[in-house]
Amino acid sequence: MGALVALLGAAILGLVPAAPASAQRATGVVECRNCHANRDFLVGKAATLKGDSALYITDSLLHDSKHATLSCTSCHPAFAGGYPHRDTSVVAVPCQSCHEKEGADYARSVHAPDAATGGSAPSCVTCHGAHHVLAAADPRSPTYPLNVAGLCGGCHANAKIIGTYFGAPDQAQARNAVPQYYKTVHGIAMTKAGLVVSATCNDCHGSHLILLPDSAQSTINRVNIARTCGRCHAGVLATFDSSSHGQALRSGARTPTGHSAPVCIDCHPAHQLVSASDPVWFRGVVKECGACHEEEYGTYFETYHGQVTELGFGITAKCSDCHTAHAMLPATDPKSSVYPTNLVATCAQCHPQANANFVKYQPHGDPRNRARYPLLFWTWLFMTTLLVSVFAFFGVHTLLWLGRLTLNRLHGRPLNGHPERPGKEGQS
Ligand code: HEC
Ligand code: HEC
Ligand code: HEC
Ligand code: HEC
Ligand code: HEC
Ligand code: HEC
Ligand code: HEC
Ligand code: HEC
Ligand code: HEC
Ligand code: HEC
Ligand code: HEC
C-alpha cells in the first residue's frame, strides 16, 4: 500500500514517465495505457485530484507485481470494450475468484463481515493493494514480516478504530495489543534486531483466517496454540508434547485439585512475552505452577528454596530448575528429572557436592502426608508423640504438685513435710 502511494505520489510529481501515445498499437485491442498511463489526459477526469491520480495505473506497476502475467482485462473484463466505459458497476473481479483458499479463509474471519458492510476492517486490497501486489518475501510488500506490525497496527493502534470497535471493558487485550507487541521479545527481535524469523502478528493470528481465541479453529485457541508457537519453536513443542502437560492436554487428565493442562501462553502470555531469563517473569511462573499444583506450591514455600525465592532472590531453585522448563514428568518416570537416580544430576546444577545422601532431602516434604512421605510421616508422628507425652507428663506432674501445695496450705502443713519456718505464722 505504502509503495503504491509512493508511486502515485512520484507520478504526480512527474518522476515516472508516462507511456507516450505513440505506444498505441493498431491491434484492435484497447490499449488501456493510452489513457491510464497518460497523466495529462487524466487531469480532471475524476471529481478530485486524488481521484485523478487513482486512475493512473501503468503497465510497469503491474509488471513489477506478482501479477505480471495478467493483463488489465483479467481483472477488469467489463472494461475490455474501451472508452467510454459502459458497464462500470463491477470495477474488478474479486481477488478470491483466483485465490479461492485465501478467499474462503478470509470470508470466515473477524474482518470479513465488517469490511463487507463498509466498516473499517480490511479487504484484500487494504492489505495487498490492487495493482502493485507483491509477495510476502518482497521487502517492499506490506505483508513482508518487518512491515506486518505496521500494517495491522495501522488500524489496531488507531485511536479512532479502537474507540469504535474495542471500547468494551473486557477488550483491554484488543486495545493494547500493538504497543504491547513492540515490547515483547518477538517485537524487539523483529523491529530492533531485524530478525525476520521472529514472530509478528500474522505468525500467531494467521493472515486470512483471523479469529477470536475462543473459536475452535483459531490459531490462538488453547487447543491449537502449541502448534502455532511450535511452527518456529519446534524443539520446545516436541519436548512439551511428550511431557505430562502435553499428554494431559491430549488426554484431558487433571491435577488432583481438578486443573487441566497448561499451554504455552499460560506461562508465556503472548502479548507480554519476555525473555526466559527475566527474573520478574520467573517468579511469576512459580505462582503460575502453584495455581494448578497447590500442594507442591505450599510445601515449596516451607523449604529454604521457596523462602529465598519469596524474598526475591533469583539464584535459588524454582519449580522449573528441578522439573525442567517443559519436560515435567512424574517422579516414577525414569526420564523425569526428579526420578531418584536422576536427582543427583538435577541438584548438582547448583549443589556441586550433591550425592545420594544429599538428595534424600525432600523438596516438598509434608509430614502430614502419610501416603506420599511415609518415612517423614512416621518420624513426625514419633517426634510429635514424644513431645506430647513429655509435656503431658510434666503437665500432670505440675497439676498434682499444685493440688498438694493447696491442700498443705489449707491444713497449715509445710510444703515439704518440715515444720513451718518461724516468723511466717500470723502474717497476711
Ligand atoms: C480513451 C481513454 C481510456 C481508455 C482507452 C481506457 N480507459 Fe479506463 N477510464 C478512462 C477514464 C477517463 C476513466 C474515469 C472516468 C470514467 O469512469 O468514465 C476511466 C475509468 C476506468 C476505471 C474505473 C471505473 C470506476 O468506476 O472506478 C477502470 C477500472 C478502468 N477505467 C479500466 C480500464 C481498462 C481495463 C482499460 C483497458 C481495457 C481502460 N480502462 C481503457 C479512460 C480510458
Ligand atoms: C489483479 C487484478 C487487477 C489487475 C491485473 C488490474 N487491476 Fe485495476 N483494479 C483492480 C481492483 C481490485 C481495483 C479496485 C481497487 C479498489 O477497490 O480500490 C482496481 C481498480 C482500478 C482502477 C480504478 C481506480 C480507482 O480507484 O478509481 C483503474 C483505473 C484500474 N484498476 C486500471 C487498471 C489498469 C489500466 C490495469 C492494467 C495496467 C489494471 N487495472 C490491472 C484489480 C486489478
Ligand atoms: C485472474 C486471476 C487473479 C486475480 C483476479 C488475482 N490474482 Fe493474485 N495471483 C494470480 C496469479 C496467476 C499469481 C501468480 C502466482 C505465481 O507467480 O506463482 C498471483 C499471485 C498473487 C500473490 C503473490 C503470491 C505469492 O506466491 O507470493 C498475491 C499476494 C496475490 N496474487 C494477491 C491478489 C490480490 C490481493 C488480488 C485482488 C486484488 C488478486 N491476487 C487477484 C492470479 C490472480
Ligand atoms: C489483514 C491483512 C490481509 C488481508 C485482509 C488479506 N491478506 Fe492476503 N496476506 C496477508 C499477509 C500478511 C500475507 C503473507 C502471509 C505469509 O507471510 O505467508 C498474505 C498472503 C497472501 C497470499 C500469498 C499466499 C502465500 O502463500 O504466500 C495471497 C495469494 C493472498 N494473501 C491473497 C489474499 C486475498 C485473495 C485476500 C482477500 C480475500 C487477502 N489476501 C486478504 C494479509 C492479508
Ligand atoms: C484496515 C484496518 C485493519 C487492519 C489493517 C487490520 N485489522 Fe484487525 N480488525 C479491524 C477491525 C475494524 C476489527 C473489528 C471487526 C469487528 O469487530 O467487526 C478488527 C478485528 C480484529 C481482531 C479481533 C479483535 C476483537 O477483539 O474483536 C483481531 C484478532 C485482528 N483484527 C487482528 C488483525 C491482524 C493480526 C491484522 C494484520 C495481519 C489486522 N487485524 C489488520 C481492522 C483492521
Ligand atoms: C506470539 C504470538 C502473537 C503475536 C506475535 C501477536 N499476537 Fe495478538 N494475540 C495472541 C494471543 C495468544 C492472543 C490471545 C490472548 C489471550 O488469550 O490472552 C492475542 C490477542 C490479540 C488481540 C485481542 C483478541 C481478543 O481476544 O479480543 C488482538 C486484537 C491482537 N492479538 C492483535 C495482534 C496484533 C495487531 C499483533 C501484531 C502487532 C499481534 N496480535 C501479535 C498472540 C500473538
Ligand atoms: C508450565 C509453564 C510453561 C509452559 C506450558 C511452557 N513453558 Fe516455555 N518456559 C517455561 C519456563 C519456566 C522456562 C524457563 C526455563 C529456564 O530458563 O530455566 C521456559 C522457557 C522457554 C523458552 C526459552 C528457552 C529456555 O528453555 O530457556 C522458550 C522458547 C519457550 N519456553 C517456549 C515455549 C513454548 C513454545 C511452549 C508451548 C509449546 C512453552 N514454552 C510452554 C515455562 C513454560
Ligand atoms: C515465526 C516464528 C515464531 C513464532 C510463531 C513464535 N516464536 Fe517465540 N521466538 C522466535 C524467535 C526467532 C525468538 C528469538 C528472539 C530473540 O532471541 O531475540 C523467539 C523467542 C521466544 C522466547 C524467548 C526465548 C528466550 O531465550 O528467552 C519465548 C519464551 C518464546 N519465543 C515463546 C513463544 C511462544 C509462547 C509462542 C507462541 C505464542 C512463540 N514464541 C511463537 C520465533 C517465533
Ligand atoms: C494450568 C494448570 C497447570 C499449570 C500452570 C502447571 N501444571 Fe503441571 N500439571 C498439570 C496437569 C493437568 C498435569 C497432569 C496431571 C496428571 O496426569 O496427573 C500436570 C503434571 C505435572 C507434573 C507431573 C506430575 C504427574 O503426576 O504427572 C509435574 C512435575 C508438573 N506438572 C510440574 C509443573 C510445573 C513445574 C509447573 C510450572 C512451571 C506446572 N506444572 C504448571 C497442570 C498444570
Ligand atoms: C529442589 C527441587 C524441587 C523444586 C524447587 C520443586 N520440586 Fe517439585 N518435586 C521435586 C522432587 C524431588 C519431587 C519428587 C518427590 C516428591 O514427590 O516429593 C517433586 C515432586 C513434584 C510433583 C509431583 C510429581 C509426581 O510424581 O506426582 C509436582 C506436581 C511438583 N513437584 C511440582 C512442583 C512445583 C509446582 C514446584 C514449585 C512451586 C516445585 N515442584 C518445586 C523437586 C523439586
Ligand atoms: C537452581 C539452583 C538450585 C537447584 C537446582 C537446587 N538448589 Fe538447593 N539451594 C540453592 C541455593 C542457592 C541454596 C542456598 C545456598 C546457601 O545459602 O548455602 C540452596 C539451599 C538448599 C538447602 C539448604 C542448605 C542449607 O545450608 O541449609 C538444601 C537442603 C538444598 N538446597 C537441597 C537441594 C536439593 C535436594 C536439590 C535437588 C532436588 C536442590 N537443592 C536443587 C539452589 C539450588
Side-chain angles (χ1 to χ4, degrees):
M1 202 64 168
L4 179 66
V5 170
L7 233 143
L8 289 171
I12 289 166
L13 291 171
L15 297 176
V16 181
S22 61
Q24 188 163 9
R25 272 177 274 141
T27 53
V29 177
V30 180
E31 294 289 354
C32 317
R33 79 169 75 87
N34 287 353
C35 300
H36 287 286
N38 186 337
R39 283 180 299 111
D40 297 336
F41 167 78
L42 292 171
V43 171
K45 291 293 186 295
T48 62
L49 197 63
K50 218 173 147 215
D52 288 350
S53 69
L55 291 170
Y56 183 71
I57 314 291
T58 64
D59 286 353
S60 54
L61 192 61
L62 195 61
H63 290 158
D64 187 38
S65 79
K66 279 300 263 184
H67 290 142
T69 54
L70 303 184
S71 66
C72 306
T73 49
S74 316
C75 295
H76 298 292
F79 294 78
Y83 196 76
H85 300 311
R86 274 176 282 274
D87 182 11
T88 56
S89 55
V90 178
V91 174
V93 298
C95 310
Q96 51 269 38
S97 61
C98 296
H99 299 288
E100 285 174 34
K101 161 101 181 45
E102 288 80 7
D105 283 350
Y106 170 79
R108 284 155 58 210
S109 76
V110 283
H111 286 144
D114 185 60
T117 53
S120 305
S123 67
C124 316
V125 173
T126 320
C127 291
H128 291 283
H131 299 108
H132 203 226
V133 176
L134 298 168
D138 190 323
R140 297 172 300 164
S141 172
T143 60
Y144 181 65
L146 290 185
N147 303 334
V148 168
L151 171 68
C152 310
C155 298
H156 285 279
N158 176 318
K160 201 159 156 247
I161 290 179
I162 287 175
T164 310
Y165 290 90
F166 311 120
D170 63 344
Q171 284 180 305
Q173 178 65 90
R175 283 194 292 279
N176 300 317
V178 178
Q180 281 180 341
Y181 165 76
Y182 282 112
K183 292 192 197 123
T184 63
V185 214
H186 292 135
I188 292 165
M190 185 69 80
T191 59
K192 298 267 173 25
L195 199 62
V196 292
V197 292
S198 179
T200 186
C201 321
N202 65 328
D203 289 310
C204 295
H205 290 278
S207 300
H208 305 114
L209 191 56
I210 297 174
L211 294 167
L212 287 175
D214 55 8
S215 164
Q217 268 131 13
S218 170
T219 49
I220 55 167
N221 181 275
R222 290 183 65 80
V223 174
N224 307 324
I225 191 77
R227 240 126 289 275
T228 301
C229 311
R231 241 179 6 98
C232 299
H233 296 283
V236 174
L237 177 63
T239 307
F240 175 80
D241 271 348
S242 56
S243 74
S244 279
H245 289 155
Q247 291 169 28
L249 192 62
R250 292 189 297 275
S251 71
R254 287 171 181 264
T255 62
T257 40
H259 300 283
S260 50
V263 294
C264 317
I265 51 173
D266 288 327
C267 300
H268 307 281
H271 280 266
Q272 286 95 32
L273 208 138
V274 295
S275 158
S277 53
D278 183 289
V280 176
W281 169 78
F282 224 134
R283 279 202 294 282
V285 173
V286 172
K287 232 183 249 161
E288 195 61 41
C289 308
C292 295
H293 299 288
E294 292 96 333
E295 192 188 330
E296 286 79 7
Y297 185 70
T299 53
Y300 169 73
F301 279 106
E302 281 166 21
T303 68
Y304 188 91
H305 293 135
Q307 280 165 8
V308 173
T309 299
E310 194 161 48
L311 292 174
F313 298 107
I315 34 145
T316 185
K318 314 277 189 304
C319 318
S320 52
D321 289 317
C322 293
H323 292 287
T324 75
H326 305 115
M328 34 285 275
L329 289 164
T332 48
D333 187 320
K335 291 194 295 295
S336 171
S337 60
V338 294
Y339 185 69
T341 54
N342 301 336
L343 265 181
V344 171
T346 299
C347 309
Q349 297 173 89
C350 305
H351 300 286
Q353 82 287 6
N355 53 29
N357 204 38
F358 180 77
V359 303
K360 288 207 181 98
Y361 168 80
Q362 298 278 11
H364 296 293
D366 179 2
R368 283 144 301 192
N369 190 335
R370 178 177 163 187
R372 192 157 151 186
Y373 305 102
L375 191 67
L376 218 57
F377 172 79
W378 290 116
T379 313
W380 172 78
L381 195 66
F382 175 75
M383 293 307 287
T384 310
T385 313
L386 194 68
L387 205 70
V388 170
S389 339
V390 168
F391 272 108
F393 175 80
F394 282 109
V396 170
H397 182 266
T398 308
L399 279 177
L400 289 174
W401 186 268
L402 201 75
R404 168 98 187 273
L405 192 81
T406 320
L407 277 176
N408 283 358
R409 285 239 170 212
L410 284 174
H411 296 115
R413 260 187 277 139
L415 190 62
N416 49 13
H418 295 297
E420 198 97 26
R421 264 170 288 171
K424 282 242 171 180
E425 200 90 78
Q427 274 180 14
S428 78

